[in-house]
Short mmCIF file of all heavy atoms in Angstrom, two decimals:
data_model
loop_
_atom_site.label_atom_id
_atom_site.label_comp_id
_atom_site.label_asym_id
_atom_site.label_seq_id
_atom_site.Cartn_x
_atom_site.Cartn_y
_atom_site.Cartn_z
N GLY A 1 0.81 -1.21 0.00
CA GLY A 1 0.00 0.00 0.00
C GLY A 1 0.84 1.26 0.00
O GLY A 1 0.54 2.23 -0.70
N LEU A 2 1.93 1.24 0.79
CA LEU A 2 2.83 2.39 0.80
C LEU A 2 3.49 2.59 -0.56
O LEU A 2 3.67 3.72 -1.02
CB LEU A 2 3.89 2.22 1.89
CG LEU A 2 3.41 2.32 3.34
CD1 LEU A 2 4.55 2.01 4.30
CD2 LEU A 2 2.84 3.70 3.62
N GLY A 3 3.85 1.46 -1.19
CA GLY A 3 4.44 1.56 -2.52
C GLY A 3 3.48 2.16 -3.52
O GLY A 3 3.86 2.97 -4.38
N THR A 4 2.20 1.74 -3.43
CA THR A 4 1.19 2.29 -4.33
C THR A 4 1.00 3.79 -4.09
O THR A 4 0.92 4.59 -5.03
CB THR A 4 -0.14 1.56 -4.12
OG1 THR A 4 0.04 0.17 -4.37
CG2 THR A 4 -1.20 2.11 -5.07
N LEU A 5 0.93 4.18 -2.82
CA LEU A 5 0.80 5.60 -2.49
C LEU A 5 2.00 6.38 -3.00
O LEU A 5 1.85 7.49 -3.54
CB LEU A 5 0.66 5.77 -0.97
CG LEU A 5 0.60 7.21 -0.45
CD1 LEU A 5 -0.62 7.93 -1.00
CD2 LEU A 5 0.58 7.22 1.09
N ASP A 6 3.19 5.81 -2.85
CA ASP A 6 4.41 6.47 -3.32
C ASP A 6 4.34 6.70 -4.83
O ASP A 6 4.67 7.77 -5.34
CB ASP A 6 5.62 5.61 -2.96
CG ASP A 6 6.91 6.40 -2.93
OD1 ASP A 6 6.84 7.64 -2.86
OD2 ASP A 6 7.98 5.79 -2.96
N ALA A 7 3.89 5.67 -5.56
CA ALA A 7 3.79 5.79 -7.01
C ALA A 7 2.74 6.82 -7.42
O ALA A 7 2.94 7.58 -8.38
CB ALA A 7 3.46 4.43 -7.62
N GLU A 8 1.64 6.86 -6.69
CA GLU A 8 0.59 7.83 -7.01
C GLU A 8 1.08 9.26 -6.75
O GLU A 8 0.77 10.18 -7.53
CB GLU A 8 -0.66 7.53 -6.19
CG GLU A 8 -1.37 6.24 -6.61
CD GLU A 8 -2.56 5.94 -5.73
OE1 GLU A 8 -2.74 6.66 -4.71
OE2 GLU A 8 -3.32 5.00 -6.04
N LEU A 9 1.81 9.46 -5.65
CA LEU A 9 2.36 10.79 -5.39
C LEU A 9 3.35 11.20 -6.48
O LEU A 9 3.37 12.36 -6.91
CB LEU A 9 3.07 10.81 -4.03
CG LEU A 9 2.18 10.77 -2.79
CD1 LEU A 9 3.02 10.64 -1.53
CD2 LEU A 9 1.32 12.04 -2.71
N PHE A 10 4.15 10.23 -6.93
CA PHE A 10 5.08 10.54 -8.02
C PHE A 10 4.33 10.97 -9.27
O PHE A 10 4.69 11.96 -9.92
CB PHE A 10 5.94 9.30 -8.31
CG PHE A 10 6.77 9.45 -9.55
CD1 PHE A 10 7.94 10.18 -9.53
CD2 PHE A 10 6.35 8.89 -10.75
CE1 PHE A 10 8.70 10.33 -10.69
CE2 PHE A 10 7.10 9.03 -11.91
CZ PHE A 10 8.28 9.76 -11.88
N GLU A 11 3.27 10.24 -9.62
CA GLU A 11 2.51 10.58 -10.82
C GLU A 11 1.86 11.94 -10.69
O GLU A 11 1.80 12.72 -11.65
CB GLU A 11 1.45 9.50 -11.07
CG GLU A 11 1.99 8.17 -11.53
CD GLU A 11 2.66 8.26 -12.88
OE1 GLU A 11 2.24 9.12 -13.70
OE2 GLU A 11 3.61 7.51 -13.12
N THR A 12 1.38 12.27 -9.49
CA THR A 12 0.74 13.57 -9.28
C THR A 12 1.73 14.71 -9.52
O THR A 12 1.42 15.70 -10.19
CB THR A 12 0.18 13.65 -7.85
OG1 THR A 12 -0.79 12.61 -7.67
CG2 THR A 12 -0.48 15.00 -7.62
N ILE A 13 2.94 14.56 -8.96
CA ILE A 13 3.95 15.60 -9.14
C ILE A 13 4.45 15.63 -10.58
O ILE A 13 4.63 16.70 -11.18
CB ILE A 13 5.12 15.37 -8.17
CG1 ILE A 13 4.64 15.49 -6.72
CG2 ILE A 13 6.25 16.36 -8.42
CD1 ILE A 13 5.68 15.11 -5.69
N ALA A 14 4.66 14.46 -11.15
CA ALA A 14 5.20 14.39 -12.51
C ALA A 14 4.25 14.99 -13.53
O ALA A 14 4.67 15.67 -14.48
CB ALA A 14 5.52 12.94 -12.87
N ARG A 15 2.95 14.75 -13.37
CA ARG A 15 1.97 15.22 -14.34
C ARG A 15 1.56 16.68 -14.14
O ARG A 15 0.86 17.24 -14.97
CB ARG A 15 0.71 14.35 -14.29
CG ARG A 15 0.94 12.91 -14.74
CD ARG A 15 -0.34 12.10 -14.58
NE ARG A 15 -0.15 10.73 -14.95
CZ ARG A 15 -0.21 10.25 -16.20
NH1 ARG A 15 -0.47 11.10 -17.19
NH2 ARG A 15 -0.03 8.98 -16.45
N SER A 16 1.97 17.28 -13.01
CA SER A 16 1.54 18.64 -12.72
C SER A 16 2.05 19.60 -13.80
O SER A 16 3.21 19.55 -14.19
CB SER A 16 2.06 19.06 -11.34
OG SER A 16 3.46 19.03 -11.31
N GLN A 17 1.18 20.44 -14.25
CA GLN A 17 1.51 21.43 -15.27
C GLN A 17 1.88 22.73 -14.56
O GLN A 17 1.02 23.45 -14.07
CB GLN A 17 0.33 21.65 -16.21
CG GLN A 17 -0.09 20.40 -16.97
CD GLN A 17 1.01 19.90 -17.90
OE1 GLN A 17 1.73 20.69 -18.52
NE2 GLN A 17 1.16 18.58 -17.99
N SER A 18 3.18 22.99 -14.47
CA SER A 18 3.65 24.18 -13.75
C SER A 18 4.84 24.75 -14.48
O SER A 18 5.91 24.13 -14.53
CB SER A 18 4.03 23.82 -12.31
OG SER A 18 4.67 24.90 -11.68
N PRO A 19 4.71 25.95 -15.06
CA PRO A 19 5.87 26.58 -15.71
C PRO A 19 7.04 26.79 -14.74
O PRO A 19 8.20 26.72 -15.14
CB PRO A 19 5.31 27.92 -16.20
CG PRO A 19 3.83 27.69 -16.33
CD PRO A 19 3.48 26.73 -15.23
N ALA A 20 6.72 27.05 -13.45
CA ALA A 20 7.79 27.25 -12.48
C ALA A 20 8.61 25.97 -12.29
O ALA A 20 9.84 26.01 -12.23
CB ALA A 20 7.21 27.71 -11.14
N LEU A 21 7.93 24.84 -12.18
CA LEU A 21 8.64 23.57 -12.06
C LEU A 21 9.44 23.28 -13.32
O LEU A 21 10.59 22.81 -13.26
CB LEU A 21 7.66 22.43 -11.78
CG LEU A 21 6.98 22.41 -10.41
CD1 LEU A 21 6.04 21.22 -10.31
CD2 LEU A 21 8.00 22.36 -9.29
N ASP A 22 8.83 23.52 -14.48
CA ASP A 22 9.52 23.24 -15.74
C ASP A 22 10.81 24.07 -15.86
O ASP A 22 11.82 23.59 -16.39
CB ASP A 22 8.60 23.55 -16.92
CG ASP A 22 7.39 22.63 -16.95
OD1 ASP A 22 7.44 21.58 -16.28
OD2 ASP A 22 6.40 22.97 -17.61
N ALA A 23 10.79 25.30 -15.37
CA ALA A 23 11.94 26.19 -15.54
C ALA A 23 13.03 25.97 -14.50
O ALA A 23 14.21 26.21 -14.78
CB ALA A 23 11.48 27.65 -15.48
N SER A 24 12.66 25.49 -13.30
CA SER A 24 13.63 25.48 -12.21
C SER A 24 14.12 24.10 -11.79
O SER A 24 15.26 23.96 -11.32
CB SER A 24 13.03 26.17 -10.98
OG SER A 24 11.88 25.47 -10.54
N MET A 25 13.28 23.07 -11.97
CA MET A 25 13.62 21.78 -11.37
C MET A 25 14.83 21.11 -12.03
O MET A 25 15.72 20.60 -11.35
CB MET A 25 12.42 20.84 -11.40
CG MET A 25 11.29 21.25 -10.47
SD MET A 25 11.71 21.16 -8.69
CE MET A 25 12.18 22.85 -8.32
N ARG A 26 14.89 21.11 -13.34
CA ARG A 26 16.01 20.44 -14.00
C ARG A 26 17.34 21.15 -13.72
O ARG A 26 18.33 20.49 -13.38
CB ARG A 26 15.76 20.30 -15.50
CG ARG A 26 16.84 19.44 -16.19
CD ARG A 26 16.40 18.96 -17.54
NE ARG A 26 16.25 20.04 -18.51
CZ ARG A 26 15.86 19.87 -19.77
NH1 ARG A 26 15.56 18.65 -20.21
NH2 ARG A 26 15.76 20.90 -20.59
N PRO A 27 17.42 22.49 -13.82
CA PRO A 27 18.69 23.15 -13.47
C PRO A 27 19.11 22.93 -12.02
O PRO A 27 20.29 22.75 -11.72
CB PRO A 27 18.42 24.63 -13.76
CG PRO A 27 17.30 24.62 -14.74
CD PRO A 27 16.45 23.45 -14.39
N LEU A 28 18.13 22.94 -11.10
CA LEU A 28 18.46 22.75 -9.69
C LEU A 28 18.97 21.33 -9.45
O LEU A 28 19.95 21.13 -8.72
CB LEU A 28 17.23 23.02 -8.82
CG LEU A 28 17.42 22.85 -7.31
CD1 LEU A 28 18.52 23.78 -6.81
CD2 LEU A 28 16.10 23.13 -6.58
N SER A 29 18.33 20.36 -10.07
CA SER A 29 18.76 18.97 -9.91
C SER A 29 20.17 18.77 -10.46
O SER A 29 21.01 18.10 -9.85
CB SER A 29 17.78 18.03 -10.62
OG SER A 29 18.17 16.69 -10.45
N ARG A 30 20.45 19.37 -11.61
CA ARG A 30 21.79 19.25 -12.19
C ARG A 30 22.83 19.97 -11.35
O ARG A 30 23.98 19.51 -11.23
CB ARG A 30 21.79 19.81 -13.61
CG ARG A 30 20.98 18.99 -14.61
CD ARG A 30 21.09 19.56 -16.00
NE ARG A 30 22.46 19.51 -16.50
CZ ARG A 30 22.84 20.03 -17.68
NH1 ARG A 30 21.94 20.65 -18.45
NH2 ARG A 30 24.09 19.94 -18.05
N ALA A 31 22.45 21.10 -10.73
CA ALA A 31 23.40 21.83 -9.88
C ALA A 31 23.81 21.00 -8.67
O ALA A 31 24.93 21.13 -8.17
CB ALA A 31 22.79 23.15 -9.43
N ALA A 32 22.90 20.14 -8.21
CA ALA A 32 23.20 19.30 -7.04
C ALA A 32 23.95 18.04 -7.40
O ALA A 32 24.36 17.29 -6.50
CB ALA A 32 21.91 18.95 -6.31
N ASP A 33 24.16 17.75 -8.69
CA ASP A 33 24.93 16.57 -9.09
C ASP A 33 26.33 16.65 -8.50
O ASP A 33 27.00 17.69 -8.58
CB ASP A 33 25.04 16.49 -10.62
CG ASP A 33 23.73 16.04 -11.26
OD1 ASP A 33 22.85 15.56 -10.52
OD2 ASP A 33 23.58 16.20 -12.49
N HIS A 34 26.79 15.54 -7.95
CA HIS A 34 28.13 15.45 -7.36
C HIS A 34 28.37 16.54 -6.30
O HIS A 34 29.50 16.96 -6.08
CB HIS A 34 29.21 15.54 -8.44
CG HIS A 34 29.03 14.57 -9.56
ND1 HIS A 34 29.13 13.20 -9.39
CD2 HIS A 34 28.72 14.77 -10.87
CE1 HIS A 34 28.92 12.59 -10.55
NE2 HIS A 34 28.66 13.51 -11.46
N SER A 35 27.27 16.99 -5.69
CA SER A 35 27.32 17.98 -4.59
C SER A 35 27.94 19.31 -5.01
O SER A 35 28.45 20.06 -4.17
CB SER A 35 28.09 17.42 -3.38
OG SER A 35 27.48 16.25 -2.90
N LYS A 36 27.89 19.64 -6.31
CA LYS A 36 28.49 20.90 -6.77
C LYS A 36 27.84 22.10 -6.10
O LYS A 36 28.52 23.07 -5.74
CB LYS A 36 28.35 21.01 -8.30
CG LYS A 36 29.13 19.98 -9.09
CD LYS A 36 29.19 20.32 -10.56
CE LYS A 36 27.81 20.35 -11.20
NZ LYS A 36 27.21 19.02 -11.32
N LEU A 37 26.53 22.07 -5.92
CA LEU A 37 25.82 23.18 -5.29
C LEU A 37 26.33 23.43 -3.88
O LEU A 37 26.62 24.57 -3.49
CB LEU A 37 24.32 22.89 -5.28
CG LEU A 37 23.42 23.90 -4.55
CD1 LEU A 37 23.49 25.25 -5.22
CD2 LEU A 37 21.98 23.38 -4.50
N TRP A 38 26.48 22.35 -3.11
CA TRP A 38 26.88 22.50 -1.71
C TRP A 38 28.36 22.88 -1.60
O TRP A 38 28.73 23.64 -0.69
CB TRP A 38 26.59 21.20 -0.96
CG TRP A 38 25.21 20.69 -1.24
CD1 TRP A 38 24.87 19.51 -1.83
CD2 TRP A 38 23.97 21.37 -0.98
NE1 TRP A 38 23.51 19.40 -1.95
CE2 TRP A 38 22.93 20.53 -1.43
CE3 TRP A 38 23.65 22.60 -0.41
CZ2 TRP A 38 21.59 20.88 -1.33
CZ3 TRP A 38 22.31 22.96 -0.31
CH2 TRP A 38 21.31 22.10 -0.77
N LEU A 39 29.16 22.38 -2.49
CA LEU A 39 30.58 22.76 -2.49
C LEU A 39 30.74 24.25 -2.78
O LEU A 39 31.58 24.94 -2.17
CB LEU A 39 31.35 21.93 -3.51
CG LEU A 39 31.51 20.44 -3.20
CD1 LEU A 39 32.13 19.71 -4.39
CD2 LEU A 39 32.37 20.25 -1.95
N ALA A 40 29.94 24.77 -3.71
CA ALA A 40 30.01 26.19 -4.04
C ALA A 40 29.57 27.05 -2.85
O ALA A 40 30.19 28.08 -2.54
CB ALA A 40 29.16 26.49 -5.26
N ILE A 41 28.50 26.64 -2.18
CA ILE A 41 28.03 27.39 -1.02
C ILE A 41 29.06 27.35 0.10
O ILE A 41 29.34 28.37 0.75
CB ILE A 41 26.68 26.82 -0.54
CG1 ILE A 41 25.59 27.09 -1.59
CG2 ILE A 41 26.28 27.43 0.80
CD1 ILE A 41 24.26 26.45 -1.28
N ALA A 42 29.66 26.18 0.33
CA ALA A 42 30.69 26.05 1.36
C ALA A 42 31.88 26.94 1.06
O ALA A 42 32.47 27.55 1.96
CB ALA A 42 31.12 24.59 1.50
N ALA A 43 32.27 27.02 -0.22
CA ALA A 43 33.40 27.88 -0.60
C ALA A 43 33.08 29.34 -0.30
O ALA A 43 33.93 30.09 0.21
CB ALA A 43 33.73 27.69 -2.07
#
C-alpha cells in the first residue's frame, strides 16, 4: 500500500503542469549533481 501511495504521489507531481517547475527543477537537480551546489556554497 505504501508503494502504491508512493507511485501515485510521483505521478501527481510528474503530471503537474507548472511553468515554475519546468523552468527550475532540472537546473536545480543538475546543480546538485556530485554535490556541486553544496561545495560552491561552502566555498
Side-chain angles (χ1 to χ4, degrees):
L2 290 175
T4 301
L5 176 62
D6 201 18
E8 290 177 352
L9 288 174
F10 171 79
E11 290 295 330
T12 300
I13 297 173
R15 294 177 182 276
S16 61
Q17 299 296 322
S18 171
L21 291 180
D22 295 343
S24 62
M25 291 294 96
R26 187 163 67 181
L28 180 59
S29 181
R30 291 183 63 184
D33 285 346
H34 307 294
S35 300
K36 294 192 298 289
L37 175 63
W38 313 117
L39 291 172
I41 293 174

